[in-house]
Amino acid sequence: MVQSSASEDLRLTAFGGEFGDSAMEAAFRADRLAEAKRMARLLFALSAVFNAFFLLSDWRFEGTSHFVVALSARFGVILISLCCLVAAHLTRSVRELDLVATLWQWMVGAGVAVLVGTRSELALFVVVLLPTVYYLTVPLPFWLCLVNGIGLSILLLTGYLDLAQPWRLSLGLVVAVAMLNAAMMIVVSRANRLDRRQWAAVTAARRANARLRESENLLEKTFQAVPLPLLVSALADGRVLKCNEAALRFYGASPEQAAHLKTTDIYSTGDQRAHLLQRLDGEGVVTDFPSNIRIGDGSRRDVLVAASLIELGGTPGMVAAVIDITERAAVEQQVRYAATHDILTGLPNRAAFQARLEADLRTRGPDQGVCLLLIDLDGLKDVNDSLGHDAGDVALAETARRLQVLAGATGMVARLGGDEFVLLLAAPAAMEEGRKLGLHILADLRRPVSYQGRQLSIKASVGVAACPEHDGSSGELMKDADLALYAAKQQGRNRLMIYAPSMRQAVSERLTLLRDIMDALAGDQIEPFYQPKVSLVTGRLAGFEALVRWRRSPHVVLAPAAFELALTDREVGVLIGERMLRRVVSDVRNWIEAGYDCGRIAVNLSPAEFTHRDLAMKLLRQFHAAGIAADRFDVEITETVFLGRNSDHVAPILDELYRAGVNVALDDFGTGYAGLIHLKQLPIDTIKIDRGFVKDIEQDAFDTAIVCAVIELGRNLGMRVIAEGVETAGQARFLRERGCEFAQGFLFCRPLQSDDVPAFLRAENERTARGRLDLFL
C-alpha cells in the first residue's frame, strides 16, 4: 500500500480524468496492476474464443478469393490473442502490461481490418464495436487509449471503405466513427475520474483504518506496558471492563477473575469510592486521591489513585491508575516521627512542641490557661565527664520517663536538646497547676538514678511562665520561661522560679550594656591598666597584671565589675580579649624597645575565649609577630572556665601555652566551683588568693585560716602564691611571714595607664638602686 501524506496532489486532469501528479497516477496504476492483468487475460481469452466461433461464419466465403485471406486473418487474431494471454500472465509491471495490451490491440486490429474488407453488415458492426471494446476494456493510460482507439478506428475504416462506393456513405461512416471516438473519450475520462476518486477514497480509508489499527495496537501495548496498575471500570456499578498486566499482578488476579472484579469490592471502606466519584464529579480529573485497598491475598495497601472520567460507547466510565505507597508511607511515617521526636528519649522534639504550644494558645478558651515549665538538668556534665556519655544517656532517658509520669495524660513533655526539657500544661488554673507540678518535678528528680550499680545524682532547675498571666504568644512565652530558668540557675540551681517582668528588664539592661560595649570597642575605649606585682621577699617588682578598663569618658574609667555581664558574653568577651591582647603586646614591645624591664605580664583569659580551640595558637602568634618571647607572659584564669560547655578545650590550650613558656595562674582561688583536682590535671604553677580573704586577714580568724591553708598548699605543690588586694603594711607583713612570695594591691600602686608605666619603672629602678626595697613593710 502506498503511503500518503497531507501534501499529496489529488487533483485530476480535466481531459483524461487521471491524477495530475505523475507519482500519484503511477501509484494508482501500480495498485491496480493485479486487477488490470486479470482483465487483460480475460479479454485476450475471450478474444481467442469469440474469434474461434467466428471461424464458422468465415466458411461462407468458401470458394471465393476472400476465403483464404479471411481464414488466415482469423487464425492470426486467435494466435495473437493466445500469445498475449501468456504474455500478460508473465508481466511484472504496468509498463510491460501496457506494451502487451497495445501490441494486442494493433495486431488484432490489423487482422480485423482485413476481415471487414467483406463489407458485410457484420463487418460494419465490427468497425463500430471493436474501438468501443478497446476503449472500455483495455486498461491503458488515457493518452495511449486515445491514440490506439483513434488509430484503430482509422485502420478499420481503411479496411472497410470502398472508394468506389458513393462518398456520402463513406463520409457518414467516418463521421459516425469520429463521434463514437469522441463519445468514448468522454466515457473513458468519466470512468477514469470515478475510478480514481474511488481509489483515492478507498486508499484514504485503508490508511485511516491502518492508522487506527496501529493506534489501537500502540494503545493496547502501551496500556499493557504501563508499570502502574490500570483499571477501566463502569461508573454505574464499578464493574472492571479492562485492566493491564500490572493490575493483574498487583491485585493477584487471573484474567478470568478480573472479568468478575468490581472496584466496589477493592476499597477497604465503601465510602472511599464515593468520595473519589464526588471529587471526579467536581474536578473531572483526580491525581492524588489517597486510599486503602484490599488485594487478592487479603492484605491492605496504602495507595494514591489517579482517575479520570471517560465515555465507553455512550456509557459513563472511569480509568484509574494506582500507585502503591505502602512502603513509602511507612518510611514517611518514620521520617515524620524522627523529625518530630527525640531519638534517645522518644519525646517530642522542639519542632513538635512548638506546634503544640501554638495550637494550644490558638484554641484556648477564655477560662483556659497554658503553662510552660522549662527544665534544665544540673550536674549532667559531671556525669558525662566522670562516667561517660552512656551514663548521661541513661540519666536523660530516666528523666524523660519521670517527667512523662508526672505530666500524666494532660501534659506534654518534650526534649528541646541537650539537658533541657519542657513541659506544656493546659488547664483552667494553669499557672498554679504548673507551680505545683514544678515542685513535684524538683522533688522527683532529686531521687538518684541507678547505673551499673552506681547512684547518679541528677537535679534540675525549673523556669515557669504562663498565659495569660505573662504573655500570649508562643515566642514571648518561651522567652519568659527561659528568663525564669536563667534566674533559677543564677540563684544557686536546683530550684523553681516563676517569671517576673523584672527578669526581662535585666535582660534589656544586659542588651543595652552589650550594645554600649560594642560601641566602646569601635571607639577604642577598651584599654589595659597595669597593676604591679611585687615580691614580698625582695621588695622588687615581679611584673604586672593587665586589667581591662572601659574609658567611658576622659574622666570616667570603669572597672570590670561595671560591665561583668559583657565579659561573660561569648562573642563580646572574645572581642574584648582580642583587643586587650593587642594593646598589651604593643605596650610590652614599646617598653622593651625603650630599655625598660617590666617583668612578666599577666593577661586574663575569660571563659568566652576558650570557646575557640585555637586560642593558644592565636596568643603565641601575636607574641611572635611582636618579637617578644612567650616566657615574658602569664595567663590568668578563673575557676569558671571549667563550668562552660567548652571546658574540654581548657586543658589542651593551657598545655600548649605552658610548653611555650607561658605561666598559668589560677585567679580568685577558693571562690569558684572547681575542685583541687584541677590543680593536678592542669599545668597551673601559680595560685592567687582572692582579695576577699586578704581584706580582714588581721582580724578574721576564718580568713586567716583560709589564707594560711592556701599558702601552705601552694608551697607543698611547688606553686607560687600571689595575694591580691593588699592595702596595708600589716597585711603585707602577715603574708610575708606566712610564706606568701608575691602580692599586689593599692599598698604598692594603683593600676596604671600604659603611658604612666615607664615613669613607674624609672622610679622603681631608682628605688632599687638606693637599696630602699622595704618601705612598705
Side-chain angles (χ1 to χ4, degrees):
M1 182 176 64
V2 179
Q3 296 297 318
S4 175
S5 67
S7 62
E8 287 179 346
D9 188 357
L10 300 179
R11 291 175 300 172
L12 304 176
T13 59
F15 185 56
E18 296 178 329
F19 289 113
D21 182 15
S22 59
M24 182 66 67
E25 179 64 21
F28 166 75
R29 300 205 65 226
D31 189 53
R32 293 296 184 90
L33 177 60
E35 179 65 17
K37 288 176 62 175
R38 189 185 68 79
M39 291 180 59
R41 290 197 301 270
L42 180 61
L43 179 62
F44 299 156
L46 290 175
S47 174
V49 172
F50 284 135
N51 278 283
F53 283 122
F54 287 150
L55 281 173
L56 299 176
S57 64
D58 291 337
W59 287 106
R60 71 179 183 276
F61 300 116
E62 186 180 5
T64 66
S65 59
H66 188 68
F67 178 70
V68 176
V69 175
L71 202 60
S72 300
R74 187 68 68 185
F75 276 111
V77 169
I78 294 172
L79 182 60
I80 290 169
S81 297
L82 293 175
C83 290
C84 287
L85 176 62
V86 175
H89 182 72
L90 299 176
T91 55
R92 294 291 182 268
S93 66
V94 174
R95 187 182 297 275
E96 292 176 357
L97 183 62
D98 288 347
L99 178 60
V100 171
T102 300
L103 289 174
W104 176 80
Q105 282 183 304
W106 283 99
M107 295 179 72
V108 170
V112 174
V114 172
L115 292 172
V116 299
T118 60
R119 299 179 184 86
S120 62
E121 293 179 358
L122 181 59
L124 180 61
F125 176 73
V126 171
V127 171
V128 177
L129 179 62
L130 189 57
T132 303
V133 172
Y134 282 176
Y135 274 114
L136 297 178
T137 61
V138 181
L140 293 174
F142 182 76
W143 69 271
L144 195 55
C145 184
L146 186 62
V147 170
N148 291 350
I150 295 174
L152 291 173
S153 294
I154 295 174
L155 183 61
L156 290 174
L157 283 173
T158 302
Y160 180 80
L161 292 177
D162 183 2
L163 298 179
Q165 296 293 327
W167 64 272
R168 293 178 187 273
L169 178 61
S170 299
L171 181 60
L173 184 57
V174 170
V175 171
V177 171
M179 291 178 64
L180 175 65
N181 276 272
M184 287 297 101
M185 292 179 194
I186 295 173
V187 170
V188 171
S189 176
R190 182 173 180 274
N192 284 346
R193 190 177 299 275
L194 293 175
D195 203 17
R196 281 157 178 77
R197 285 178 176 172
Q198 181 185 20
W199 177 83
V202 171
T203 302
R206 287 176 181 171
R207 289 198 195 101
N209 291 333
R211 285 195 295 268
L212 180 60
R213 286 193 298 272
E214 290 176 0
S215 177
E216 291 176 347
N217 187 40
L218 178 61
L219 182 60
E220 178 63 21
K221 289 181 178 178
T222 303
F223 182 80
Q224 295 298 337
V226 170
L228 298 177
L230 297 177
L231 291 178
V232 180
S233 61
L235 203 59
D237 56 3
R239 182 168 45 89
V240 175
L241 305 176
K242 190 175 183 62
C243 61
N244 65 353
E245 292 292 336
L248 293 177
R249 290 193 300 271
F250 179 72
Y251 292 105
S254 64
E256 293 75 17
Q257 292 172 328
H260 303 287
L261 188 65
K262 288 187 177 183
T263 57
T264 53
D265 301 329
I266 295 175
Y267 292 100
S268 298
T269 58
D271 59 348
Q272 293 186 60
R273 185 172 185 270
H275 290 162
L276 175 60
L277 295 179
Q278 185 178 4
R279 282 190 59 183
L280 280 172
D281 185 56
E283 303 173 21
V285 176
V286 173
T287 59
D288 57 350
F289 182 76
S291 183
N292 184 271
I293 64 173
R294 291 189 298 267
I295 59 177
D297 61 2
S299 62
R300 298 175 183 269
R301 309 293 290 179
D302 292 318
V303 298
L304 281 180
V305 179
S308 177
L309 296 176
I310 59 174
E311 288 286 334
L312 302 170
T315 302
M318 175 178 63
V319 59
V322 176
I323 303 174
D324 188 358
I325 60 169
T326 305
E327 285 74 18
R328 189 182 80 183
V331 171
E332 289 177 350
Q333 178 64 26
Q334 294 175 357
V335 171
R336 282 195 297 270
Y337 183 86
T340 57
H341 287 75
D342 175 58
I343 297 177
L344 174 63
T345 62
L347 294 176
N349 60 12
R350 182 183 295 272
F353 161 74
Q354 189 68 29
R356 171 70 179 273
L357 173 59
E358 292 175 356
D360 284 356
L361 291 174
R362 187 172 54 252
T363 59
R364 76 178 186 88
D367 299 328
Q368 188 81 359
V370 176
C371 184
L372 288 184
L373 288 82
L374 202 57
I375 305 155
D376 191 89
L377 300 185
D378 302 326
L380 182 65
K381 183 182 181 304
D382 293 336
V383 172
N384 287 332
D385 291 344
S386 59
L387 299 177
H389 287 278
D390 289 343
D393 290 346
V394 170
L396 287 170
E398 177 61 18
T399 299
R401 188 193 67 79
R402 294 183 186 181
L403 290 176
Q404 284 182 300
V405 172
L406 291 171
T410 58
M412 174 191 183
V413 181
R415 184 187 179 196
L416 300 183
D419 56 1
E420 194 171 36
F421 296 83
V422 64
L423 193 150
L424 175 62
L425 185 65
M431 179 69 183
E432 181 60 23
E433 291 293 331
R435 188 188 67 82
K436 294 179 181 178
L437 182 58
L439 294 175
H440 286 308
I441 290 173
L442 291 177
D444 195 54
L445 293 185
R446 290 190 185 103
R447 293 188 295 113
V449 177
S450 297
Y451 173 73
Q452 295 183 352
R454 299 183 180 220
Q455 299 298 311
L456 307 181
S457 178
I458 302 294
K459 300 178 183 179
S461 299
V462 180
V464 180
C467 172
E469 287 83 356
H470 300 139
D471 272 299
S473 69
S474 61
E476 294 303 312
L477 205 58
M478 280 294 292
K479 291 178 183 178
D480 295 344
D482 194 47
L483 290 172
L485 177 62
Y486 179 78
K489 286 182 171 293
Q490 290 294 103
Q491 294 191 19
R493 303 171 182 260
N494 190 29
R495 65 188 61 218
L496 178 144
M497 291 293 293
I498 297 175
Y499 169 76
S502 58
M503 296 176 182
R504 188 164 291 224
Q505 178 63 28
V507 171
S508 178
E509 292 174 356
R510 180 172 179 269
L511 294 176
T512 301
L513 174 62
L514 292 177
R515 184 170 59 250
D516 292 343
I517 285 292
M518 292 300 293
D519 292 340
L521 286 168
D524 201 22
Q525 297 175 2
I526 303 299
E527 59 183 73
F529 273 51
Y530 297 92
Q531 185 171 47
K533 291 185 292 187
V534 177
S535 171
L536 294 176
V537 177
T538 65
R540 293 182 177 181
L541 177 72
F544 293 91
E545 178 184 359
L547 304 174
V548 63
R549 292 294 186 266
W550 177 8
R551 189 175 292 279
R552 192 74 184 260
S553 68
H555 305 291
V556 177
V557 178
L558 301 180
F563 53 96
E564 184 176 2
L565 289 176
L567 294 173
T568 60
D569 183 84
R570 177 176 298 183
E571 295 182 5
V572 177
V574 170
L575 293 175
I576 292 175
E578 292 175 348
R579 173 65 56 83
M580 283 288 294
L581 183 64
R582 286 197 298 270
R583 291 288 300 269
V584 169
V585 170
S586 177
D587 290 341
V588 172
R589 182 183 59 194
N590 293 335
W591 298 334
I592 293 176
E593 290 177 351
Y596 296 111
D597 183 7
C598 56
R600 299 181 71 97
I601 308 299
V603 180
N604 289 279
L605 298 181
S606 67
E609 294 179 86
F610 282 91
T611 59
H612 297 275
R613 293 177 180 269
D614 59 347
L615 174 60
M617 185 185 301
K618 290 170 62 177
L619 295 177
L620 297 176
R621 189 184 297 123
Q622 292 213 36
F623 299 157
H624 178 74
I628 306 173
D631 59 9
R632 297 298 297 267
F633 293 92
D634 297 343
V635 294
E636 295 189 7
I637 61 173
T638 62
E639 294 174 333
T640 55
V641 300
F642 309 123
L643 304 179
R645 294 182 181 273
N646 298 283
S647 58
D648 293 341
H649 305 172
V650 174
I653 292 172
L654 296 181
D655 285 338
E656 187 174 354
L657 290 173
Y658 187 76
R659 287 193 299 269
V662 179
N663 288 340
V664 180
L666 184 60
D667 200 4
D668 300 336
F669 181 74
T671 63
Y673 301 101
L676 296 177
I677 187 65
H678 294 106
L679 295 179
K680 176 182 178 181
Q681 294 177 340
L682 299 176
I684 296 172
D685 50 23
T686 303
I687 53 179
K688 301 186 71 174
I689 304 174
D690 184 75
R691 66 181 66 248
F693 300 124
V694 175
K695 179 180 178 181
D696 298 322
I697 194 173
E698 296 178 281
Q699 296 84 24
D700 192 311
F702 184 80
D703 288 342
T704 299
I706 290 178
V707 169
C708 291
V710 173
I711 294 172
E712 186 66 20
L713 176 66
R715 181 185 297 115
N716 293 334
L717 294 177
M719 296 180 179
R720 293 186 303 170
V721 179
I722 301 177
E724 296 180 304
V726 178
E727 298 181 358
T728 67
Q731 293 171 350
R733 281 193 297 271
F734 179 90
L735 291 168
R736 187 180 66 174
E737 291 171 358
R738 297 304 187 277
C740 182
E741 186 178 359
F742 299 95
Q744 62 186 82
F746 290 172
L747 173 64
F748 312 110
C749 184
R750 289 181 175 273
L752 302 169
Q753 301 180 65
S754 60
D755 293 340
D756 296 335
V757 171
F760 176 83
L761 292 175
R762 286 194 298 270
E764 179 67 15
N765 290 337
E766 294 174 359
R767 189 171 65 86
T768 301
R770 293 195 303 268
R772 302 183 64 186
L773 304 179
D774 58 349
L775 296 180
F776 59 89
L777 299 176

